[in-house]
């Protein structure tokens, strides 16, 4: 069986198993979860995160060094940021409009005692911008801060260029580490069907069905918005003559892991692998665009923030003015860039958006109970959007290469007959 099929089977069996436990054998859930499902899931998550830092750092150093000139790095970054902002705005609008049409805040069961989770404070935007520059590169590696690792890799590549032949042994060492970590990634991926089975069955088995019933329209509305954004991506890919089928098939293992783990970071090593081997993306683009997107690009978080803010406004009968809507959209865009690629990160960032839009923070506590249930779907879209943007960049760069080759083969002048 192919890896993608095995991951899908793991997910489906995990959902069925978790559901059976939740409904028919709730008394066995705490023990089974504590001693089997949760430990197995955590070991898999740890193993996959084990390769994230080395794979990102070595991919970036090898990729940047092979790009050869800093002008190209600047061009690729500029194009990616343009793509990120435009597609994120689309996601923000889809989240807002879906909540506006479906009115989830008006269709909530009596929440009473379930609304007890504490709202946590998110990181401020200025603090986040400052934190991109690490004071200690080893701390960046140790804490797995992707943006700091990208920053460090860029500085090191600049240093490598300046050091010339002195840097050759270091570069060969990094290339060698890269090949080793790629092999370890393949090994870890073999365990992914069991890992996603344990993680997803644990989520479903321990999910309180009571809160799901009460927030049913909220959950379905959010899923509809996420699905609409995926459809939008499929349309964009088709318009750019990129086969959506080839895209989906190539990245299927990545999407399965994103959904099962609810962590974009965990899906990163397999995303790079799928991009290079299955999709046949240019190596330098895969090694650069996918880590950058994992650090920054979160369509699922964009949708969560606007959808949730409107939900809270409806719930508390707050009429949003034009200025509040603009504040909401801008803060949600910035917040989506600073949402970490780990489970539950989106909900922590809600406080920033709700405060910017002048909405009550109590809204966070209400939806926290179903967060893990929707997180897998959000993460799936986060990773889907990231890889789709990388694929679009790859297409543009391929076209540029062909255009340059064609113009080089054209004669400089033609003789008059
Ligand atoms: N879990 C998501 C991710 O890893 C972030 C979120 O909570 O929205 O991409």
């Amino acid at each position: 069986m192919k890896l993608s099929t095995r991951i899908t089977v793991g997910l489906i069996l995990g959902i069925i198993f978790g559901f059976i436990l939740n409904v028919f054998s709730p008394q066995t859930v705490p023990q089974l979860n504590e001693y089997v499902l949760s430990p197995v899931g955590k070991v898999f998550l740890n193993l996959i995160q084990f390769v994230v830092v080395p794979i990102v750092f070595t991919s970036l150093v090898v990729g940047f060094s092979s790009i050869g000139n800093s002008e190209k790095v600047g061009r690729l970054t500029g194009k990616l940021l343009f793509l990120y902002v435009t597609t994120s705005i689309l996601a923000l609008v889809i989240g807002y409009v879906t909540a506006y049409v479906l009115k989830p805040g008006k269709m909530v069961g009596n929440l009473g005692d379930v609304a007890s989770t504490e709202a946590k404070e998110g990181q401020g935007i200025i603090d986040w911008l400052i934190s991109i520059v690490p004071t200690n590169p080893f701390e960046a590696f140790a804490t797995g801060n992707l943006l700091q690792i990208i920053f460090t890799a860029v500085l090191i590549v600049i240093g490598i260029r300046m050091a010339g032949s002195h840097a050759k042994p270091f570069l060969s060492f990094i290339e060698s580490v890269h090949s080793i970590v790629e092999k370890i990634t393949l090994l870890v991926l073999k365990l992914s069907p069991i890992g996603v089975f344990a993680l997803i069955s644990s989520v479903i088995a321990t999910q309180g069905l009571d809160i799901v019933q009460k927030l049913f329209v909220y959950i379905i509305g959010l899923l509809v918005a996420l699905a609409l954004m995926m459809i939008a991506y499929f349309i964009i890919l088709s318009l750019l003559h990129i086969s959506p089928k080839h895209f989906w098939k190539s990245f299927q293992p990545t999407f399965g892991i994103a959904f099962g783990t609810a962590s974009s970071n965990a899906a990163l090593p397999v995303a790079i692998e799928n991009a290079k081997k299955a999709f046949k993306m240019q190596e330098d683009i895969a090694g650069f665009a996918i880590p950058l997107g994992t650090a920054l690009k979160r369509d699922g978080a964009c949708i969560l923030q606007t959808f949730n803010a409107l939900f809270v406004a409806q719930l508390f009968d707050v009429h949003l003015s034009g200025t509040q809507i603009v504040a909401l959209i801008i803060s949600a865009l910035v917040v989506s860039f600073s949402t970490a690629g780990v489970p539950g990160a989106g909900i922590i960032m809600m406080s920033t958006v709700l405060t910017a839009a002048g909405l009550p923070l109590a809204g966070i506590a209400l939806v926290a109970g179903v967060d893990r249930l929707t997180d897998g779907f959000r993460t799936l879209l986060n990773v889907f959007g990231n890889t789709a943007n990388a694929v679009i960049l790859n297409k543009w760069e391929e076209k540029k290469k062909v255009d340059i080759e064609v113009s080089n083969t054209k004669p400089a002048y033609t003789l008059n007959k």
Side-chain angles (χ1 to χ4, degrees), residues 262-265 298 300-301 304 339-347 375 378-379 382:
S263 166
S264 301
N265 289 5
R298 303 259 185 276
L304 173 74
T339 300
V342 294
I347 198 148
D375 201 359
R378 278 186 343 243
T379 310
N382 288 341

Side-chain angles (χ1 to χ4, degrees), residues 140-377:
F141 293 130
T143 53
N145 184 321
L146 282 185
L147 271 182
Q148 291 189 348
I149 294 171
I150 294 172
F151 188 88
T152 308
V154 172
L155 274 190
I156 287 185
V157 171
I158 294 174
I160 289 176
R161 294 238 174 89
M162 291 166 78
S165 61
H166 286 297
K168 273 202 177 130
F170 177 76
L171 199 54
S172 333
F173 170 71
I174 295 292
E175 278 167 358
S176 159
V177 175
H178 183 67
S179 326
I180 296 169
V181 182
E182 270 189 331
K183 295 286 176 253
I184 300 178
T185 306
L186 292 179
L187 218 61
V188 174
L189 284 183
K190 286 199 194 314
L191 299 175
S192 48
I194 302 171
V196 294
F197 171 87
L199 287 166
I200 206 78
S201 54
S202 163
V203 172
I204 307 282
T206 55
Q207 178 68 53
L209 291 183
D210 190 32
I211 178 94
V212 172
Q213 271 170 8
K214 288 173 177 168
L215 288 177
F216 192 69
V217 181
Y218 171 88
I219 298 171
I220 296 296
L222 195 53
L223 299 193
V224 167
L226 297 171
L228 286 176
M229 187 64 197
M230 270 199 194
I231 294 171
Y233 269 121
F234 278 135
I235 294 173
I236 296 171
L237 292 181
S238 308
L239 290 176
L240 294 171
H241 304 291
I242 301 167
S243 157
K245 198 172 154 205
H246 175 55
F247 169 71
W248 177 264
K249 276 187 130 181
S250 306
F251 288 100
Q252 214 177 327
T254 308
F255 300 149
I257 290 182
F259 178 69
T261 60
S263 166
S264 301
N265 289 5
L268 170 59
V270 59
I272 297 182
E273 176 70 25
N274 288 168
K276 286 188 199 163
K277 303 277 156 61
F279 191 84
K280 306 265 179 282
M281 191 182 286
Q282 297 172 51
E283 295 244 339
D284 51 0
I285 295 185
F288 169 61
I290 293 184
L292 189 69
T294 306
L296 291 177
K297 182 68 176 138
R298 303 259 185 276
D299 292 306
C302 287
I303 288 180
L304 173 74
Q305 299 301 348
T306 48
F307 184 91
N308 190 68
L310 207 57
F311 165 79
V312 172
Q314 292 164 354
L315 195 66
F316 292 96
D317 262 331
V318 181
H319 179 76
L320 290 175
S321 65
T323 331
Q324 273 174 307
I325 296 175
V326 172
L328 162 63
I329 301 272
I330 293 175
S331 61
L333 178 66
V334 180
V335 151
S336 78
F337 287 135
S338 59
T339 300
V342 294
I347 198 148
I348 295 174
M349 308 304 286
M350 273 179 193
S351 58
T352 313
V353 178
L354 293 182
T355 311
L359 288 165
L361 292 185
I364 304 174
L366 301 182
V367 293
V370 291
D371 179 63
R372 183 56 185 87
L373 202 60
T374 58
D375 201 359
F377 294 97

